[in-house]
């Protein structure tokens, strides 16, 4: 049986556990901290800093983390890779209200030097003010492509049986292909902020050749300028869409999925009826059930 052993630092160890959380299985091994099974691979995280990948896709799965740990150790956390690349990221998947937005952005060498001084990072760590200040610059400077899935369409996809990862995979795939066509550059490396295994990505997109020039990297927004830029542009459009929805329902809709969101959901339902949620929220979130109970 194919197997790969990685020796990892605490940070990578935790990100491996986070990454496979959904696939966790019962663990009878006293030396193991965490065991997960996915796509013909068993992942065992030991109490020491060893992680074992076993099964036919062991190598592919392990590569996700070797890539990110190499990138991480070869440079400081604060320094991004400035290599020319297409970066792709999505926003809004953790927010009950508002759309899912995916952006792919191309940053070449010259532009990356020029953008350096802006101190760009993962959009999640930037304030809305900062996003509003920086995003228009990126939008005018960077070739990019953007996809917005509004709530009604999103809910239809989920109700039709499409999983969240499949939705994301198809959106990234589409955005990247659009951008490649736009700039007519097919050799530029592509970086996707990793959310599923490479095997799954291929299954969802039915295109094995696509992934050849693609790196799937966890926490890519902190490591690749192109992904950071894509995430900022996506975030900017998400905020604009959320603002439009807020104006429409006459309530400043909250981001995230906290109890504040439940409270707002309850008020919206009281005012406009249950059907309003279909148009402004992601119905499969637990919040929907909580709102119904309130
Ligand atoms: Mn991301």
């Amino acid at each position: 049986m194919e197997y790969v052993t990685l020796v990892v630092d605490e940070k990578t160890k935790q990100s491996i556990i986070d990454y496979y959380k959904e696939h966790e299985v019962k663990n009878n091994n006293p030396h193991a901290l965490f065991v997960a099974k996915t796509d013909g691979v068993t992942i065992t995280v030991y109490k020491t800093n060893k992680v074992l990948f076993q099964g036919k896709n062991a190598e592919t799965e392990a590569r996700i983390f070797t890539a990110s740990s190499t990138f991480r150790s070869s440079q400081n956390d604060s320094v991004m890779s400035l290599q020319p690349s297409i970066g792709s990221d999505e926003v809004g998947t953790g927010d009950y209200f508002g759309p899912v937005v995916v952006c792919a952005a191309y940053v070449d060498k010259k532009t990356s030097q020029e953008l350096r001084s802006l101190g760009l990072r993962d959009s999640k760590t930037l304030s809305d003010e900062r996003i509003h200040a920086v995003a228009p610059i990126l939008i005018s400077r960077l070739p990019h492509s953007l996809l917005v899935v509004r709530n009604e369409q999103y809910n239809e996809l989920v109700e039709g049986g499409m999983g969240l990862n499949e939705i994301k995979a198809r959106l990234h795939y589409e955005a990247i292909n659009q951008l490649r066509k736009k700039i007519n550059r097919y050799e530029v490396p592509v970086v996707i902020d990793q959310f599923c295994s490479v095997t799954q990505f291929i299954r969802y997109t039915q295109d094995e050749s696509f992934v050849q020039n693609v790196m799937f990297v966890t926490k890519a927004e902190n490591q690749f300028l192109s992904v950071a830029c894509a995430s900022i542009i996506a975030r900017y459009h998400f905020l604009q869409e959320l603002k439009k929805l807020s104006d429409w329902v006459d309530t400043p809709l909250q981001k995230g999925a906290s109890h504040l969101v439940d409270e707002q959901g309850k008020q919206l339902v009281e005012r406009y009826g249950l059907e309003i949620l279909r148009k402004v929220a992601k119905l499969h979130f637990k919040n929907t059930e909580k709102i119904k109970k309130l």
Side-chain angles (χ1 to χ4, degrees):
M1 196 195 288
E2 197 183 320
Y3 75 94
V4 177
T5 309
L6 296 183
V7 177
V8 297
D9 58 14
E10 274 306 314
K11 213 166 137 191
T12 311
K13 187 159 125 185
Q14 195 49 52
S15 62
I16 292 175
I17 294 174
D18 291 344
Y19 183 72
Y20 292 109
K21 207 157 235 156
E22 274 179 44
H23 303 283
E24 184 170 9
V25 293
K26 200 161 172 278
N27 165 21
N28 297 319
N29 181 342
H31 302 292
L33 192 65
F34 171 90
V35 182
K37 274 193 174 139
T38 173
D39 280 332
V41 188
T42 303
I43 301 98
T44 309
V45 179
Y46 288 94
K47 288 173 182 163
T48 59
N49 279 356
K50 215 177 78 182
V51 180
L52 178 66
F53 295 78
Q54 280 172 295
K56 64 176 164 55
N57 297 323
E59 235 191 271
T60 322
E61 288 290 323
R63 209 181 298 146
I64 300 167
F65 300 99
T66 47
S68 56
S69 50
T70 319
F71 289 130
R72 212 166 283 148
S73 57
S74 64
Q75 59 198 18
N76 295 331
D77 264 349
S78 57
V79 180
M80 298 237 191
S81 170
L82 302 175
Q83 298 162 32
S85 63
I86 289 174
S88 184
D89 198 16
E90 88 279 335
V91 157
T93 47
D95 299 278
Y96 183 57
F97 295 124
V100 169
V101 182
V102 169
C103 178
Y106 172 52
V107 182
D108 62 19
K109 203 163 190 171
K110 186 165 168 277
T111 320
S112 72
Q113 296 295 345
E114 291 163 6
L115 294 176
R116 243 180 146 155
S117 60
L118 292 175
L120 303 174
R121 282 175 286 132
D122 174 12
S123 70
K124 288 193 284 295
T125 66
L126 299 176
S127 66
D128 290 357
E129 289 71 29
R130 188 83 188 122
I131 300 272
H132 280 111
V134 171
I137 303 172
L138 302 182
I139 289 168
S140 68
R141 294 289 302 276
L142 302 180
H144 64 279
S145 69
L146 189 85
L147 297 171
V148 179
V149 185
R150 301 211 162 71
N151 295 94
E152 253 183 312
Q153 192 193 351
Y154 179 89
N155 290 323
E156 270 170 30
L157 291 174
V158 175
E159 282 162 0
M162 202 183 279
L164 193 50
N165 281 350
E166 181 167 3
I167 295 175
K168 285 192 210 173
R170 289 184 180 209
L171 289 171
H172 281 282
Y173 179 75
E174 168 96 36
I176 291 161
N177 278 338
Q178 277 184 15
L179 181 57
R180 277 174 161 172
K181 210 178 268 177
K182 198 188 266 182
I183 60 176
N184 197 21
R185 300 279 301 269
Y186 294 85
E187 81 295 353
V188 177
V190 173
V191 186
I192 299 180
D193 187 26
Q194 174 105 36
F195 57 88
C196 71
S197 70
V198 179
T199 326
Q200 279 171 324
F201 194 93
I202 294 169
R203 195 191 306 143
Y204 295 145
T205 57
Q206 295 289 308
D207 185 351
E208 199 152 347
S209 63
F210 177 84
V211 298
Q212 277 167 12
N213 208 10
V214 175
M215 280 186 279
F216 294 86
V217 181
T218 52
K219 305 220 164 70
E221 313 94 324
N222 294 320
Q223 300 172 65
F224 291 87
L225 189 61
S226 60
V227 182
C229 291
S231 97
I232 291 168
I233 296 174
R235 187 87 193 151
Y236 177 78
H237 286 279
F238 174 82
L239 292 173
Q240 290 208 321
E241 291 294 324
L242 195 67
K243 172 83 171 64
K244 276 190 222 161
L245 285 179
S246 299
D247 290 346
W248 186 57
V249 296
D250 207 15
T251 311
L253 294 171
Q254 293 282 330
K255 287 166 273 177
S258 68
H259 66 279
L260 288 171
V261 163
D262 298 336
E263 200 46 52
Q264 283 196 323
K266 178 191 161 222
Q267 285 166 13
L268 290 178
V269 170
E270 279 169 1
R271 248 197 286 166
Y272 303 105
L274 200 55
E275 274 306 292
I276 191 68
L277 294 180
R278 176 170 295 280
K279 298 195 169 78
V280 300
K282 300 180 186 80
L283 293 178
H284 69 96
F285 276 46
K286 289 195 185 84
N287 302 77
T288 305
E289 285 311 309
K290 287 188 209 150
I291 290 166
K292 283 182 183 166
K293 273 181 200 147
L294 291 171

